Every structure is written in C-alpha cells, then in structure tokens.
Amino acid sequence: MANQTITITNNVTGESFDFPLRSGSVGPSAADISSLYKEAGIFTYDPGFMSTASCHSAITYIDGEDGILLYRGYPIEQLATKASFLEVAYLLLYGELPVEKELVGFEKMITRHTMLNENLKDFLNGFHYDAHPMAILIGVVGSLSAFYHDSLSVNDARHREISAHRLIAKLPTIAAAAYKHSIGEPIMYPRNDLRYCANFLHMMFATPCEVYKPTLIAEKAMNLLFILHADHEQNASTSTVRLAGSSGANPFACVAAGIASLWGPAHGGANEAVLDMLHEIGDVKNVQRYMEKAKDKDDPFRLMGFGHRVYKNYDPRAKIIREVCHQVLEELADTNNPLFELAMKLEEIALSDEYFVERKLYPNVDFYSGIIYQALGIPRNMFTVMFAVARTVGWVSHWMEMMSDPNNRIGRPRQIYHGPTQRDYLPISKR
C-alpha cells in the first residue's frame, strides 16, 4: 500500500489533510494520524481504543469476524493439539518454532530458573493469611526487581532475554506459593524432573508428607489452557504492560502492572464469574427461567462466558477446549455434581436456542476454562492466577518486541477536557 493515503476534511474550516495508510501482512489497514495534532490541531476520540492501532506487532493476529487466532502465523487449533506450552512460549518469544536442540535448551533454561530466592518466603509470610492470591502475585512479581539487579538494563538485549526467562519460569512457582500461603500449607519446591505443567500441579497439590502425581488428562488440560491463554493480541493487560514498558520501567514492574489489569472481572476474572453465575442459577430446573432473564434487556442478569468482544463468530479457542472439558469431566469430576450438570445443560441450550445462535452468543473459552479448573481441584480465587501464569509468556514477548523497536516512544494518550476553564484562587474566607 505504498504511497496510498486517506484524506480527513474539517467541515468547520474546509481544510483537508492527507495521511499515509499503513498495512500489515494481513488484516485491515490503518491511517497513520501521528501528525494529526501537529497539522490539523485536533485529536481523535476513540474510547476503549476500538479503532486505534497502538503499535506494530508480529506476534498474534486475530480475525474476530471469521474466528481466527494465529500465534506467529500458526493457527491456534494446530498449536493447542500438537505443541507443548514451552514450545509455544519459544515461538512467541523468538518468532519461530524451535528445532529439537533449541527446545531442549529452552526447557533446561526455564527449569533452571523455577526456584525462588529463599528471602521471598519472608515476603510471602507478610501477607495476611486470607489475602487474595492475585494480590500476592502482584506484590511478589513486582518485588523480583529487588532480587535480580544483574539483568535489569532494559536497553541490553541479553538482560531482557534473561528477565523474560525468569518471569516465565518463576510465575508458576509464585502462583503455587500464593495458593499454599492462602491455605496454610508449606510451600513446595519445584522439581527439575517434571515438565512445566506437571511441575506446576505438583507445587499446587503436593505436600512434604504426600507426593502428588498428576494424571495425564490433568497435565494435558493444563497444557491446553496455558496455550490458549498465552496471548491474545493488544488486550487490556498486554496494552498495560506495553504502556508501562514504554517509560523504561523494569520488566518485573511491567508484568506486575499487567497482572493488576488482568485481575478485573471484565478481563481475566471472567472464568471466575462463570462459576458465580452457575451458583446463582443453582439447579438445572432453573436454567430455562434464567435463559429468559438473559434474553430480557431490562433484566440485569447476564450469561457469563457466552459471546466475546472480539470474536463475532465462534471463539476458536472454545472449539478446542470444549472437547477437553468433556474429557476432564468424564475422567476427573464427580459426574453427579449439579454444577457440572448445570454447565452442560447451559451449553446445550445456548448451542441450539435460536436467540443465542442468531446473536452468535456461543460459549467462549472462559465458560469452559472455569469448569475445567474446578474439576482439577483449583479453587475459584486461583482462576485468574492461572490465567496470569499463561499470559506472562505473551506479556514478555510483547515487552521484548516493543523494547527492541527503534521507534518505541513513551505512551501518552490524549483527552477531551470537560473540567472548568481557568479561574483564580480565592482565600478560604471568600469561597
């Protein structure tokens, strides 16, 4: 699209301004309005940045209309069914799938960094016993910059890589430690003989007096969930990491900021909201009544885990996770659990009811992930933590991409000011 432009006309003044069109390898083109204020003296207004491209990126591509999700060009359907999580992590970080020697080296590197500094135990013990695990995660991840002064130069490519490896390696250890602290059990050390997902399950559920050996279906489900949640383009938390990183902040602070953004119920807390919804419905006999409530625009009840802000078609991740969800429920869950029976009834109705089908309100990845985590024995307050462990790979990939971009500038959104115009200070006696 070389030399192609778009013209913006100010109908108040009659002035017109030409701006270049930028295009990527796939997807819609973008009008480069970076000089709009300088040339025309106006800003653009785009709440939620729904029509604004904030960066160039070669990591993830989403086509919401056709339900497409690509990691570095690879369809999520292929990666989720054929790759390991660390294989996908390597792909997101470095741009290509690893050959065997590269993958072995990467796995060893990540495994070598899973241990935490022993002094972090004291930090963890400083949190109240019933602190939310996400609160602990934010605090501990942010504190890592106090322990690793040897690799904090954000302008050094090797330092950035080391920090990325440390974050990917240590997040499962920190997450499991946060869970152990919340239930009063001793922290379990990572084991170098276990794969990434199995190691995480070990740290979550083993105790010093009892070995935990995850089933193959549990490890498979965790690997799948981590891959599906590894990245999702310029979402709220990823944009938060990029915005924090644009100031030159260290990567641990940037990822802590991303975790804080992820905690919101409109973002990473959605799968927890699914379980809350199921508990509210309570029983299969109430499903039809709640479905009618969901159709009533004047009723505050909303079906959680159905439809998606980006995907106007079926969430491609949901197609993959649905099959594994049913496998997990069949093998690990109590099939008499009314919660799971209720979830499957909701799924059945949503996939066949004309109202939901017409509006493409299909079950999304959050609907199934919450059910799987519950079946694996992971408590609801840990659901968003699990999301953070997986999404760390995407966050550090975007952070590294941004920091290596010579055109990187500190983020500085504009605003439309609605406050008072200039006025003079009055002494308190005259106000």
Side-chain angles (χ1 to χ4, degrees):
M1 196 172 286
N3 301 321
Q4 291 194 12
T5 62
I6 187 170
T7 300
I8 296 178
T9 300
N10 185 334
N11 292 325
V12 175
T13 65
E15 293 179 291
S16 293
F17 306 89
D18 292 335
F19 298 96
L21 283 173
R22 311 291 186 195
S23 61
S25 53
V26 65
S29 56
D32 183 347
I33 57 167
S34 53
S35 62
L36 177 64
Y37 178 61
K38 180 180 178 181
E39 293 187 33
I42 59 174
F43 300 144
T44 57
Y45 180 61
D46 183 18
F49 308 109
M50 292 300 292
S51 298
T52 300
S54 62
C55 63
H56 288 272
S57 182
I59 298 173
T60 300
Y61 173 72
I62 296 172
D63 183 333
E65 297 296 330
D66 292 329
I68 294 172
L69 172 59
L70 307 177
Y71 288 171
R72 300 284 192 179
Y74 291 96
I76 190 65
E77 295 86 348
Q78 295 180 20
L79 295 173
T81 55
K82 299 177 181 178
S84 70
F85 176 66
L86 285 186
E87 195 175 1
V88 171
Y90 187 99
L91 170 68
L92 291 174
L93 280 173
Y94 299 110
E96 297 293 342
L97 286 169
V99 298
E100 185 174 356
K101 182 179 179 181
E102 290 170 331
L103 181 59
V104 170
F106 184 65
E107 288 173 338
K108 286 182 179 179
M109 178 66 68
I110 297 301
T111 300
R112 190 166 63 85
H113 281 303
T114 51
M115 285 280 290
L116 298 179
N117 188 298
E118 281 292 290
N119 290 315
L120 274 171
K121 282 187 177 180
D122 296 330
F123 187 25
L124 279 161
N125 290 332
F127 287 96
H128 200 253
Y129 73 92
D130 62 352
H132 196 290
M134 280 294 282
I136 298 175
L137 199 66
I138 293 168
V140 175
V141 170
S143 77
L144 292 179
S145 58
F147 291 88
Y148 300 109
H149 306 288
D150 62 321
S151 56
L152 280 184
S153 174
V154 296
N155 296 316
D156 185 310
R158 180 56 182 150
H159 282 202
R160 295 197 298 265
E161 184 178 42
I162 293 170
S163 293
H165 291 169
R166 281 176 169 152
L167 280 160
I168 294 169
K170 296 182 189 304
L171 252 293
T173 312
I174 296 170
Y179 170 65
K180 290 295 193 182
H181 177 79
S182 71
I183 60 173
E185 288 187 1
I187 293 171
M188 294 300 295
Y189 289 109
R191 282 176 45 184
N192 290 354
D193 62 317
L194 293 177
R195 292 184 292 267
Y196 190 87
C197 294
N199 197 23
F200 177 66
L201 290 167
H202 149 74
M203 291 187 287
M204 282 284 292
F205 299 120
T207 67
C209 54
E210 187 173 359
V211 174
Y212 173 83
K213 183 173 176 57
T215 64
L216 287 177
I217 188 62
E219 187 178 356
K220 175 184 176 181
M222 191 64 64
N223 184 74
L224 175 68
L225 285 165
F226 281 0
I227 290 174
L228 296 180
H229 283 135
D231 195 47
H232 210 236
E233 210 206 62
Q234 306 305 319
N235 53 80
S237 58
T238 300
S239 297
T240 298
V241 171
R242 279 184 172 265
L243 190 60
S246 73
S247 72
N250 72 73
F252 304 109
C254 295
V255 170
I259 295 169
S261 175
L262 186 73
W263 197 358
H267 191 6
N271 52 13
E272 190 173 344
V274 169
L275 270 293
D276 291 336
M277 175 195 69
L278 293 176
H279 279 287
E280 181 183 346
I281 296 173
D283 194 282
V284 172
K285 66 184 181 184
N286 299 325
V287 168
Q288 199 58 52
R289 178 165 64 88
Y290 273 90
M291 289 303 232
E292 294 307 314
K293 285 166 66 69
K295 296 175 186 179
D296 184 355
K297 64 180 181 180
D298 296 322
D299 193 300
F301 176 78
R302 292 292 180 267
L303 279 180
M304 304 303 296
F306 291 81
H308 196 278
R309 183 179 183 181
V310 173
Y311 297 111
K312 306 309 176 188
N313 206 314
Y314 203 91
D315 182 342
R317 300 168 300 170
K319 294 179 182 178
I320 307 160
I321 201 174
R322 180 178 183 271
E323 180 182 345
V324 173
C325 178
H326 285 263
Q327 291 174 10
V328 168
L329 291 182
E330 184 177 337
E331 185 168 329
L332 299 180
D334 177 5
T335 53
N336 295 318
N337 188 323
L339 197 69
F340 300 132
E341 182 186 1
L342 175 56
M344 295 302 100
K345 185 64 176 177
L346 271 179
E347 177 199 52
E348 177 188 330
I349 293 176
L351 292 175
S352 59
D353 189 292
E354 186 176 331
Y355 177 89
F356 297 100
V357 172
E358 280 184 359
R359 289 163 176 78
K360 299 180 179 178
L361 295 175
Y362 303 113
N364 61 34
V365 69
D366 296 311
F367 178 78
Y368 294 110
S369 63
I371 297 168
I372 291 175
Y373 284 140
Q374 177 108 345
L376 292 176
I378 294 167
R380 265 187 289 171
N381 65 356
M382 282 292 293
F383 286 4
T384 315
V385 174
M386 310 297 287
F387 199 156
V389 172
R391 185 54 58 84
T392 295
V393 169
W395 290 333
V396 297
S397 298
H398 281 273
W399 176 78
M400 288 179 68
E401 179 184 63
M402 181 190 69
M403 295 308 299
S404 63
D405 183 353
N407 296 317
N408 176 39
R409 299 177 64 188
I410 185 170
R412 181 60 171 87
R414 298 292 192 168
Q415 65 174 17
I416 297 176
Y417 177 68
H418 285 293
T421 54
Q422 183 172 325
R423 49 185 173 170
D424 294 325
Y425 175 88
L426 293 175
I428 195 167
S429 61
K430 294 184 179 181
R431 295 175 200 166

